[in-house]
């Protein structure tokens, strides 16, 4: 499978979808643009618990000095970049899905004088055109929108809204289905789409690359039954890539690396092309196949052409914590849910301001025996998401995983605390903010001069519901139960982010 064939197969599928989306059933029937999107029930009903889902109107924002509660650690200095969907409404039309919004990249800067915050929208072609037009112009992942401009590739719909990493002196705002967007690390100006190599132009580059302790980086992209794999040097040079057949057409959001392997889980999700052709969004056209298996694809890092595929019963996964291997057994941890219900049901409701209970998702662990080609699964019962590990142990044996968690007093399973799980002992250390907070992902920042896994700060972002403002939180990762050592409060609220990374000052 070379690039031409990949693009042909993607192009054929995309053209089918695009044509269908371009002329959905409601438009064919009426011959005019539907007014269904403008019905009042589809707009956001103000709800103080869900303020962050109101989104911005495309404005950038900043604050020179956050109000510090507690005491910032003297050695915690650097830039905490985050990314998430920031615009949900234009021209009286509202997205149905949290994943749809345009990427808003944040820089929380931890310095000697305190914490500042800056956020700028990624100037994708989509954002610039829609901001100028004052309306949505292209279909979104979870919202069927009649295209008003030609859909030339997936990058026409690229929102650059899922993660942000620093690589080779620039920021990369990442999306799942298309190219990375480069930004300036200091002023967050968008520099444009990244093209790794001529033959990789426009290829999907997932929002969950994995960086090893030495800086080498691995990533993938999936599209319509194909998977592209990437390996970069610590200097950001593309060392190798390969395009190959995937075991299914399922959406794959994240993956894990061990010392020798890349591990992918293809959950049993199929795309109902009749639904796409009838004008449904990609999300609404996804179907959960509970009786089908998860395909586990295990690729050798040393040679992308060497892989095996194993199977386990149906489960859903978005995020992985880590993987490592010993004695030809790969250990993988991830967050498991039973199906796509949150994706299909809960998310559209909260996007309307309805604070309803979500289905739980819990820590899960695979042991993949490469000698016997068998897989065992163990699970825990905590309700959590967004796992992270110490960056020094990515792809190596790890002892700890850190998550935001729904704990005591959580309302509707909202993430309102943090937890550290010791995977060797099973012991946990956690803290709850109580019912009046919603927490995002928290990342592990090694303490200056430390060498031991977990000797670190845990840094994340949350939303203070009574104050209606957002904050950055800092915990001692070795004593979460003691509560945050510092909170940096902004005078405004922010749209919730998906992911980010902390880059310590050197
Ligand atoms: Fe993610």
């Amino acid at each position: 499978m070379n690039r031409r064939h990949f693009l042909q197969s993607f192009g054929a599928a995309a053209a089918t979808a695009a044509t269908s989306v371009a002329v959905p059933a409601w438009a064919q029937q009426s011959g005019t643009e539907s007014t269904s999107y403008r019905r009042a029930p589809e707009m956001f009903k103000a709800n103080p618990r869900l303020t962050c889902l109101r989104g911005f109107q495309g404005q950038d924002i900043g604050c020179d000095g956050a109000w510090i509660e507690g005491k910032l650690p003297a050695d915690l200095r650097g830039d905490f970049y985050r990314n998430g969907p920031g615009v949900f409404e234009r021209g009286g039309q509202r997205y149905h899905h949290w994943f749809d919004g345009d990427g808003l990249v944040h820089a929380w800067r931890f310095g000697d004088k305190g914490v500042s915050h800056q956020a700028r929208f990624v100037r994708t072609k989509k954002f610039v055109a829609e901001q100028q037009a004052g309306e949505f112009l292209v279909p979104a992942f979870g919202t069927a929108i009649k295209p008003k401009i030609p859909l030339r590739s997936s990058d026409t719909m690229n929102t650059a809204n899922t993660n942000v990493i620093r690589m080779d002196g620039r920021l990369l705002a990442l999306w799942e289905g298309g190219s990375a967007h480069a930004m300036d690390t200091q002023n967050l100006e968008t520099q444009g789409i990244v093209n790794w190599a001529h033959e990789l132009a426009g290829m999907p580059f997932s929002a969950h690359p994995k960086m090893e302790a030495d800086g080498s980086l691995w990533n993938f992209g999936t599209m319509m039954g194909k998977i592209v794999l990437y390996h970069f040097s610590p200097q950001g040079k593309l060392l190798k890539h390969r395009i190959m057949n995937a075991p299914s057409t399922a959406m794959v959001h994240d993956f894990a690396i061990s010392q020798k392997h890349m591990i992918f889980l293809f959950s049993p999700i199929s795309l109902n092309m009749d639904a796409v052709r009838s004008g449904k969004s990609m999300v609404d056209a996804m179907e959960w196949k509970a009786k089908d298996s998860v395909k586990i694809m295990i690729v050798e890092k040393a040679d992308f052409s060497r892989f095996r595929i194993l199977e386990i019963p149906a489960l859903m996964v978005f995020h992985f914590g880590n993987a490592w291997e010993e004695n030809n057994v790969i250990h993988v941890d991830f967050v498991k849910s039973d199906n796509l219900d949150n994706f299909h049901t809960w998310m559209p409701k909260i996007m309307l301001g309805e604070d309803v209970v979500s289905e739980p998702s819990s820590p899960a662990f695979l042991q993949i025996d490469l000698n016997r080609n068998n897989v065992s699964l163990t699970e825990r019962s905590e309700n959590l998401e967004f796992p992270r590990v110490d960056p020094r142990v990515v792809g190596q044996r790890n002892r700890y995983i850190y998550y935001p968690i729904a704990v005591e007093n959580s309302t509707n399973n909202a993430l309102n605390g943090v937890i550290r799980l010791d995977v060797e002992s099973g012991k946990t250390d956690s803290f709850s903010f109580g019912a009046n907070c919603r927490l995002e992902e928290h990342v592990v920042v090694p303490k200056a001069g430390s060498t031991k896994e977990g000797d670190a700060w845990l840094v994340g972002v949350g939303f203070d519901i009574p104050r209606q403002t957002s904050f950055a939180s800092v915990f001692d990762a070795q004593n979460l139960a003691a509560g945050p050592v510092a909170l940096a409060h902004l005078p405004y609220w922010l749209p919730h982010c998906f992911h980010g990374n902390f880059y310590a000052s050197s």
Side-chain angles (χ1 to χ4, degrees):
M1 174 61 60
N2 59 28
R3 174 179 175 264
R4 184 169 61 86
H5 288 134
F6 180 95
L7 292 178
Q8 281 175 344
S9 63
F10 163 58
T16 305
T19 303
S20 306
V21 172
V23 193
W26 49 261
Q28 293 170 344
Q29 289 160 4
S30 66
T32 60
E33 185 175 347
S34 169
T35 57
S36 62
Y37 293 116
R38 297 188 171 81
R39 289 179 306 182
E42 293 198 336
M43 301 309 287
F44 187 79
K45 290 185 279 292
N47 181 332
R49 299 191 60 79
L50 298 173
T51 298
C52 299
L53 292 175
R54 280 169 53 190
F56 284 179
Q57 294 178 320
Q59 77 275 24
D60 299 330
I61 197 167
C63 169
D64 289 337
W67 165 58
I68 305 298
E69 183 179 1
K71 191 169 186 301
L72 286 172
D75 70 322
L76 184 65
R77 297 288 183 270
D79 298 324
F80 183 31
Y81 297 107
R82 292 188 58 72
N83 192 359
V87 169
F88 300 116
E89 294 178 13
R90 294 187 189 278
Q93 188 171 3
R94 182 168 176 82
Y95 283 145
H96 300 173
H97 212 276
W98 183 36
F99 292 11
D100 292 349
D102 296 286
L104 178 62
V105 167
H106 306 248
W108 297 78
R109 302 188 195 276
F110 289 68
D112 292 339
K113 295 180 180 175
V115 176
S116 67
H117 172 261
Q118 176 189 19
R120 296 196 72 176
F121 279 91
V122 188
R123 267 56 177 183
T124 61
K125 286 183 178 176
K126 171 189 181 298
F127 175 86
V128 171
E130 292 185 342
Q131 195 72 5
Q132 191 169 26
E135 61 178 343
F136 293 129
L137 300 175
V138 297
F141 182 54
T143 309
I145 291 171
K146 186 176 181 180
K148 297 184 175 67
I149 57 176
L151 303 180
R152 299 194 189 285
S153 76
S154 60
D155 280 334
T156 307
M157 294 164 277
N158 191 334
T159 55
N161 71 359
T162 314
N163 199 355
V164 56
I165 62 171
R166 198 173 71 186
M167 185 179 180
D168 195 22
R170 56 188 179 176
L171 287 185
L172 300 183
L174 304 178
W175 190 52
E176 183 164 313
S179 304
H181 281 75
M183 303 176 78
D184 186 283
T185 58
Q186 292 306 306
N187 61 23
L188 304 185
E189 280 186 5
T190 302
Q191 297 167 339
I193 276 177
V194 176
N195 188 355
W196 303 112
H198 173 70
E199 65 271 24
L200 290 172
M203 300 288 255
F205 188 82
S206 105
H208 283 286
K210 295 292 179 284
M211 181 176 284
E212 297 188 60
D214 71 354
S216 58
L217 186 131
W218 306 80
N219 202 11
F220 75 101
T222 57
M223 190 74 78
M224 300 295 178
K226 304 295 175 191
I227 185 167
V228 52
L229 307 177
Y230 304 87
H231 178 206
F232 294 88
S233 73
Q235 293 73 37
K237 181 175 182 290
L238 182 63
L239 297 176
K240 68 173 186 279
H241 66 274
R242 183 178 179 89
I243 302 163
M244 49 212 284
N245 287 325
S248 89
T249 58
M251 165 189 70
V252 178
H253 179 72
D254 191 3
F255 77 124
I257 59 167
S258 62
Q259 292 92 330
K260 296 180 182 174
H261 294 92
M262 306 169 83
I263 302 105
F264 303 89
L265 265 60
F266 289 76
S267 290
I269 302 166
S270 68
L271 193 63
N272 183 334
M273 291 310 296
D274 287 338
V276 173
R277 278 187 279 272
S278 74
K280 287 191 174 180
S281 71
M282 297 289 275
V283 167
D284 289 336
M286 286 182 184
E287 294 181 347
W288 182 252
K289 303 291 186 184
K291 293 181 179 175
D292 290 353
S293 63
V294 176
K295 307 287 190 298
I296 305 175
M297 186 177 189
I298 305 156
V299 184
E300 294 186 15
K301 287 159 77 176
D303 181 352
F304 288 163
S305 72
R306 294 173 58 84
F307 66 93
R308 71 181 83 189
I309 294 171
L310 304 175
E311 297 183 59
I312 55 173
L315 58 80
M316 183 60 203
V317 53
F318 278 101
H319 294 121
F320 293 83
N322 195 31
W324 53 276
E325 58 192 274
E326 276 180 11
N327 302 322
N328 230 19
V329 176
I330 304 176
H331 302 254
V332 186
D333 77 85
F334 62 101
V335 175
K336 169 187 172 290
S337 51
D338 290 339
N339 49 47
L340 278 174
D341 282 359
N342 278 343
F343 204 55
H344 279 142
T345 307
W346 173 71
M347 221 166 264
K349 286 190 186 300
I350 63 170
M351 285 297 289
L352 295 174
E354 298 175 23
D355 189 21
V356 294
V357 66
S358 61
E359 293 295 320
S361 52
S362 302
F365 306 85
L366 292 177
Q367 288 191 29
I368 304 170
D369 187 329
L370 297 177
N371 292 327
R372 296 181 174 84
N373 272 336
N374 67 21
V375 184
S376 63
L377 171 72
T378 55
E379 304 178 45
R380 293 179 61 95
S381 59
E382 292 91 351
N383 184 10
L384 40 70
E385 247 296 354
F386 302 115
R388 295 293 293 243
V389 298
D390 190 311
R392 294 171 289 197
V393 296
V394 171
Q396 304 290 324
R397 181 166 186 166
N398 64 295
R399 180 168 177 180
Y400 303 114
I401 313 168
Y402 306 80
Y403 317 77
I405 181 173
V407 277
E408 53 185 299
N409 301 325
S410 171
T411 302
N412 292 331
N413 284 342
L415 301 173
N416 66 337
V418 290
I419 185 170
R420 181 188 75 170
L421 171 63
D422 181 337
V423 295
E424 293 181 6
S425 68
K427 291 181 179 174
T428 60
D429 175 25
S430 64
F431 176 79
S432 170
F433 280 93
N436 291 321
C437 183
R438 298 186 93 97
L439 277 197
E440 300 179 9
E441 173 194 64
H442 278 53
V443 306
V444 183
V445 184
K447 290 180 180 174
S450 77
T451 56
K452 189 176 158 201
E453 179 194 355
D455 190 2
W457 305 108
L458 189 67
V459 183
V461 168
F463 173 57
D464 184 322
I465 295 167
R467 285 195 177 102
Q468 293 287 289
T469 54
S470 297
F471 60 84
S473 49
V474 180
F475 290 83
D476 186 331
Q478 293 177 307
N479 190 0
L480 301 184
V485 297
L487 298 175
H489 296 272
L490 296 177
Y492 44 77
W493 60 267
L494 299 170
H496 288 306
C497 290
F498 289 124
H499 302 290
N501 294 282
F502 194 105
Y503 296 93
S505 305
S506 52

